[in-house]
């Protein structure tokens, strides 16, 4: 009988994280789900459990090092080991540089970069204990191309890429593979330039399910194969310097 393996997904209360949780549940993984919205995660957990996954949830603010540490110590994988982690929690709100407050800058960097670091640091020993594993980082096309009004977000997502490239070198010998995804626009509640963003408000963009399908594929690849970077875009939406090339 195959031993069930567990994956931690951050930002699992909605959007890409929710879709990733459901896709990994369908692929036979057990799940640890982290986000700040406990009630929303209960709903996601129930849907994953209906697919046969054993699911544990924890209310965690990834930008808070102690919140991450406490959740990591309480998680079942602190004793059982961990097959993978999807560093997905993130947020961004576009502002011109002169309107970027210190608080907004700090929050953006704390969520997207510090959060990735705190979670990664908490998982490393447990990935090693399981004999290696897969780390998937959800970065952004903002880390690949310059955009106006995204200084904090682009800096944080670029920093996340550097964090994961460093981790790749340090953890390779322990059998840990690292994949970084750079999606273009995805039709979720992610704010960006729209304070009222919700699924359905970015027609033509990638769907959360399309991104989750790639994450699921990464988890089903042979363990000697490392897909280092995935640049992902919809032809019916913009992607960095590439303009939309089909009507949506
Ligand atoms: O956005 P959204 P996406 N601590 O807002 C959680 C990247 N991306 O699914 O805490 C813990 O629907 C939040 O949960 P909650 C993006 O940068 C997106 O599109 O309950 N969790 C929710 O579950 C991000 O890294 C686009 O509010 C925190 C989730 O994160 C990832 O994709 C394009 C948290 C956000 O769900 C998923 O974003 C791109 C915290 N402090 C990259 N703060 C795009 N959508 O266009 C937030 O290139 N979360």
């Amino acid at each position: 009988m195959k031993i069930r393996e567990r994956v931690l997904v951050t930002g699992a209360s909605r959007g890409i994280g929710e879709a990733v949780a459901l896709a990994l549940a369908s692929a036979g993984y057990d799940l640890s789900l982290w986000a700040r919205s406990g009630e929303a995660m209960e709903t996601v957990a129930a849907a994953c459990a209906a697919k046969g996954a054993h699911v544990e949830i924890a209310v965690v603010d990834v930008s808070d090092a102690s919140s991450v540490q406490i959740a990591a110590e309480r998680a079942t994988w602190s004793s059982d080991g961990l097959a993978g982690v999807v560093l997905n929690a993130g947020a961004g709100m576009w502002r011109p540089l002169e309107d970027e407050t210190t608080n907004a800058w700090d929050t953006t960097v704390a969520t997207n970069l510090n959060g990735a670091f705190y979670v990664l640091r908490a998982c490393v020993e447990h990935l090693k204990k399981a004999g290696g594993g897969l780390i998937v980082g959800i970065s952004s096309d903002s880390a690949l191309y310059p955009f106006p009004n995204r200084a904090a977000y682009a800096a944080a997502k670029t920093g996340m890429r550097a964090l994961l490239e460093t981790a790749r070198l340090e953890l390779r010998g322990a059998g840990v593979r690292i994949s970084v995804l750079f999606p273009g626009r995805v039709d979720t509640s992610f704010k960006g330039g729209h304070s009222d963003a919700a699924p359905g408000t970015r027609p033509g963009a990638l769907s959360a399910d399309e991104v989750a399908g790639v994450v699921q594929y990464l988890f089903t690849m042979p363990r000697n194969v490392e897909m280092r970077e995935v640049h992902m875009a919809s032809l019916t939406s913009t992607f960095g310097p590439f303009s939309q090339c089909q009507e949506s």
Side-chain angles (χ1 to χ4, degrees):
M1 194 179 78
K2 184 178 181 289
I3 297 169
R4 292 191 65 90
E5 295 181 312
R6 182 172 291 273
V7 177
L8 167 65
V9 181
T10 69
S13 61
R14 61 174 184 268
I16 294 170
E18 174 181 9
V20 165
L22 288 163
L24 293 181
S26 297
Y29 285 96
D30 292 335
L31 295 160
S32 298
L33 307 180
W34 286 5
R36 294 165 301 179
S37 312
E39 215 170 298
M41 275 192 297
E42 296 277 6
T43 306
V44 177
C48 293
K51 293 175 179 288
H54 299 126
V55 189
E56 63 181 11
I57 64 173
V59 173
V60 180
D61 179 348
V62 297
S63 69
D64 177 347
S66 60
S67 175
V68 170
Q69 192 188 339
I70 291 165
E73 284 166 2
R74 290 179 181 163
T76 56
W77 45 263
S78 68
S79 57
D80 299 348
L82 194 58
V85 54
V86 183
L87 301 168
N88 167 72
M93 188 80 211
W94 311 156
R95 291 181 193 82
L97 270 174
E98 64 267 30
D99 296 339
E100 187 76 74
T101 63
T102 305
N103 189 42
W105 175 278
D106 286 348
T107 302
T108 303
V109 173
T111 304
N112 295 284
L113 177 57
N114 299 3
F117 164 61
Y118 299 145
V119 176
L120 178 61
R121 181 175 60 180
C123 292
V124 164
E125 148 191 13
H126 308 291
L127 291 164
K128 285 181 171 176
K129 193 188 291 175
L134 176 64
I135 298 167
V136 178
I138 307 296
S139 182
S140 170
D141 59 351
S142 301
L144 301 174
Y145 309 106
F147 291 91
N149 305 328
R150 302 190 194 181
Y153 182 72
K157 289 296 194 186
T158 304
M160 181 202 203
R161 183 189 202 183
L163 166 72
L164 292 174
E165 288 305 322
T166 307
R168 187 193 307 291
L169 295 173
E170 292 188 21
L171 301 177
R172 184 177 165 78
V176 177
R177 296 165 293 142
I178 298 183
S179 300
V180 191
L181 256 67
F182 300 88
R185 296 167 75 228
V186 189
D187 186 28
T188 67
S189 306
F190 182 88
K191 289 196 167 46
H194 317 267
S195 54
D196 56 351
T201 56
R202 291 183 177 99
L206 294 166
S207 71
D209 285 340
E210 286 163 346
V211 179
V214 172
V215 176
Q216 185 195 50
Y217 176 68
L218 294 171
F219 273 91
T220 56
M221 288 177 71
R223 289 180 181 218
N224 63 316
V225 178
E226 183 179 54
M227 183 86 85
R228 293 186 175 149
E229 292 196 340
V230 180
H231 298 193
M232 205 179 165
S234 165
L235 290 187
T236 51
S237 187
T238 53
F239 179 67
F242 306 107
S243 58
Q244 180 172 321
C245 62
Q246 282 180 15
E247 290 298 319
S248 57

